[in-house]
Amino acid sequence: MTDTASSERYERRELLQPGAVETWSGLDRTLNRPVTIRRADADSEIGHRLRLQAKALARVEHHGLLHILDTYDEADHFAIVTEQLPTGLLVDELTAPNGDTRRLAAPEAIRIVIAVTEALAVLHSAGFAHGGVDADYIGWRAEVGWVILNGPPTDDAVTIPATRRADLVSLAVLAHRLIVGAAPQRRPDGTWEFDSVVPDVVAPVLARAMSASDPWPDVPSMLLALRSIVDDLPISDGVRTDRSSVWQAERHWLAPVGVLVAAAATLVGIALLIEQPADRSSEDATPSVETTVPDPDAPTVVTIAPAATATVAPQTTPAIVPAPTTTQVRRTPILLESITDFDPAGDDRVEHPERLIFINDGDPTTGWSTARYSSRDFGGLKDGVGLIVVLAGDEPLRIERVAVDSPTVGWSFEVYASDERNRTLIDWGRPLAVAQDITGSTAAAVPATDAAAVLVWITDLGDELPSGGHRVTIFRIEIGTSAVTAEAPPSTGAVTP
């Protein structure tokens, strides 16, 4: 900090922005370098706040914040000296040469928001809030990148009182503006409506930032969520014609496999019409991907073969129609209460809790996914991650089957069950079933067990993705049980017209 005499060192040249806090271009005569000078009436409330902020934030340094070089008193004003303001503004990137509004590709937009969020996280850690960032006051400096040009530490807060909650909301609005070209619309009930151009993986992050009931607890939490999705964003010019999924590159194999599965299903249907099964309960049976082990203490092991190997032997003669049965076994899905991520060895990885809402949403183009790792064994960082599925109801329910839909190739998981929500893998006991080398959807039979919660524990992330790295994506989980129902015998007194 400098004293009053140091005012002779700085020359104010051009008023860039008038107001209670004036912004001037200036010159540091001692070092012969351009600077920015911000000053306010020393006796005003703003002047007093600036002096206190400058003292507290003089040591805060981040490339996304303008650093305080000096302060001085000039006549009846208190002044703050910073680096020269960048000449390029983010708002200029959103304006086309003809004056129309441009929008940025989602990866570029989110990287900009991440840079701004990092700067706000540093500011918050020093005990200050900004009050709300905007594209009009974010500039580009070639040597450091994007820089916030207004608010603390070099200016007064954008809004008074400035709150961290307002900073979170402003980050979401900024992201929407960069991707869509405009701010999100507010509904009459106070909630926000995002444009369909916003990618599916981005919308939940923004929605939580703007949520009145369950916002991100702090800026670092939102920062982690943004970092976790940046590599999953579709590369485009911001215009989307369909709902591309976050794992678009991972499902390139689904088309040929889907054709083979459809063909196999058609042949199976024809065979069933020709030959009625002796046991009608087989109508509800799944393909032979389920293997039951008689030993109740040993887990079921399921190994999924590629769908392309499925064949059906042709039937040449009709079979004899069997006698009707009096009981029927039907698989019944169990209502689920919640699904949460389970990462007991969690470190700096984020297993995308914001994507849990995409499980069982009925849309096969969305889904929850693990973080992306360098190898199928989680980069050697952990033994696995999982999902805890809590069953609806106050009492444990009988479970006999766990079905999982995923586009991931070659991954593996284990199934555990408990009458309560456990926090460590040891507490879950032994696995009830093991599914290995899975390609596509699978259903694992488990010994009949009463459970209140089921853990799907991922042990292998599968083959490398076309875009690099390893991760597992899941878009449906179903917990099932078998119900035996009585079937009425055929009537012997029927009258044939």
Side-chain angles (χ1 to χ4, degrees):
M1 297 297 175
T2 58
D3 55 22
T4 305
S6 68
S7 62
E8 299 176 358
R9 173 176 175 174
Y10 301 103
E11 174 187 341
R12 285 185 289 112
R13 291 188 167 180
E14 180 183 357
L15 180 62
L16 303 177
Q17 183 178 345
V21 179
E22 302 173 344
T23 301
W24 293 77
S25 64
L27 176 68
D28 181 345
R29 296 189 182 98
T30 302
L31 299 178
N32 193 29
R33 64 177 178 181
V35 294
T36 299
I37 300 172
R38 284 178 170 157
R39 66 175 201 159
D41 187 334
D43 294 329
S44 67
E45 180 183 351
I46 292 179
H48 286 297
R49 282 203 304 266
L50 282 181
R51 189 183 296 274
L52 293 174
Q53 289 178 3
K55 183 177 181 180
L57 294 171
R59 295 179 180 270
V60 173
E61 292 191 31
H62 186 272
H63 58 265
L65 299 170
L66 289 176
H67 180 53
I68 297 177
L69 301 175
D70 201 355
T71 64
Y72 66 91
D73 290 287
E74 180 186 21
D76 55 353
H77 286 79
F78 172 75
I80 297 175
V81 181
T82 71
E83 309 108 314
Q84 184 181 27
L85 293 180
T87 55
L89 298 178
L90 178 55
V91 69
D92 297 333
E93 299 291 324
L94 304 179
T95 305
N98 62 359
D100 292 342
T101 299
R102 294 179 60 244
R103 53 180 182 252
L104 306 182
E108 180 184 2
I110 294 303
R111 287 188 177 94
I112 293 173
V113 176
I114 287 175
V116 175
T117 307
E118 289 174 344
L120 286 184
V122 171
L123 188 64
H124 285 195
S125 67
F128 288 82
H130 183 275
V133 292
D134 186 82
D136 297 72
Y137 294 99
I138 297 173
W140 173 260
R141 176 168 288 158
E143 63 271 21
V144 295
W146 295 104
V147 182
I148 300 174
L149 306 182
N150 65 338
T154 61
D155 197 352
D156 200 14
V158 173
T159 58
I160 301 295
T163 65
R164 301 184 181 193
R165 177 80 186 86
D167 287 351
L168 282 169
V169 173
S170 70
L171 288 169
V173 173
L174 174 64
H176 194 280
R177 181 180 178 186
L178 296 181
I179 296 172
V180 178
Q185 298 296 313
R186 193 157 196 167
R187 301 186 183 98
D189 62 359
T191 60
W192 296 87
E193 180 178 358
F194 300 124
D195 192 280
S196 60
V197 171
V198 177
D200 294 334
V201 293
V202 176
V205 179
L206 306 189
R208 188 171 181 185
M210 306 180 77
S211 171
S213 58
D214 184 30
W216 292 108
D218 48 37
V219 166
S221 298
M222 182 176 178
L223 177 59
L224 287 174
L226 290 170
R227 286 173 174 167
S228 71
I229 66 173
V230 69
D231 292 332
D232 303 331
L233 295 171
I235 299 176
S236 67
D237 60 358
V239 179
R240 296 169 58 205
T241 57
D242 60 359
R243 296 192 65 193
S244 301
S245 77
V246 302
W247 41 270
Q248 185 175 16
E250 299 172 43
R251 59 174 185 159
H252 64 284
W253 56 272
L254 284 178
V257 172
V259 172
L260 291 170
V261 171
T266 301
L267 292 175
V268 171
I270 294 173
L272 290 176
L273 288 175
I274 295 174
E275 180 179 4
Q276 295 294 326
D279 182 1
R280 293 187 62 186
S281 65
S282 64
E283 296 176 4
D284 297 316
T286 57
S288 59
V289 298
E290 303 184 22
T291 304
T292 306
V293 179
D295 183 0
D297 294 329
T300 301
V301 178
V302 182
T303 301
I304 309 302
T309 62
T311 58
V312 178
Q315 300 293 324
T316 57
T317 58
I320 299 175
V321 178
T325 59
T326 57
T327 61
Q328 190 170 20
V329 179
R330 298 184 182 275
R331 286 198 172 91
T332 304
I334 296 174
L335 185 64
L336 309 183
E337 178 180 303
S338 64
I339 301 177
T340 57
D341 58 316
F342 180 66
D343 186 17
D347 40 32
D348 60 338
R349 297 283 180 172
V350 177
E351 302 300 337
H352 301 309
E354 75 281 356
R355 297 188 195 171
L356 293 170
I357 60 174
F358 293 136
I359 300 178
N360 296 341
D361 68 348
D363 186 352
T365 66
T366 61
W368 170 88
S369 63
T370 67
R372 191 186 299 257
Y373 293 86
S374 60
S375 63
R376 62 191 309 151
D377 64 347
F378 302 89
L381 298 173
K382 57 186 72 172
D383 295 328
V385 298
L387 296 171
I388 297 177
V389 183
V390 178
L391 309 183
D394 298 329
E395 299 295 332
L397 302 173
R398 177 61 54 92
I399 67 168
E400 298 175 292
R401 180 174 178 268
V402 177
V404 180
D405 290 349
S406 169
T408 307
V409 178
W411 67 292
S412 304
F413 70 87
E414 299 172 348
V415 176
Y416 297 78
S418 173
D419 57 2
E420 61 180 350
R421 190 179 303 185
N422 297 281
R423 296 188 177 183
T424 66
L425 193 59
I426 295 177
D427 293 337
W428 286 89
R430 299 180 60 187
L432 299 178
V434 177
Q436 298 174 336
D437 195 22
I438 306 165
T439 296
S441 302
T442 186
V446 301
T449 304
D450 292 337
V454 174
L455 170 63
V456 177
W457 179 248
I458 301 168
T459 56
D460 189 320
L461 295 172
D463 297 349
E464 185 174 7
L465 305 175
S467 57
H470 301 258
R471 71 175 176 196
V472 169
T473 296
I474 293 175
F475 52 79
R476 186 181 74 93
I477 296 178
E478 180 182 290
I479 312 297
T481 188
S482 298
V484 179
T485 58
E487 184 178 279
S491 172
T492 58
V495 177
T496 303

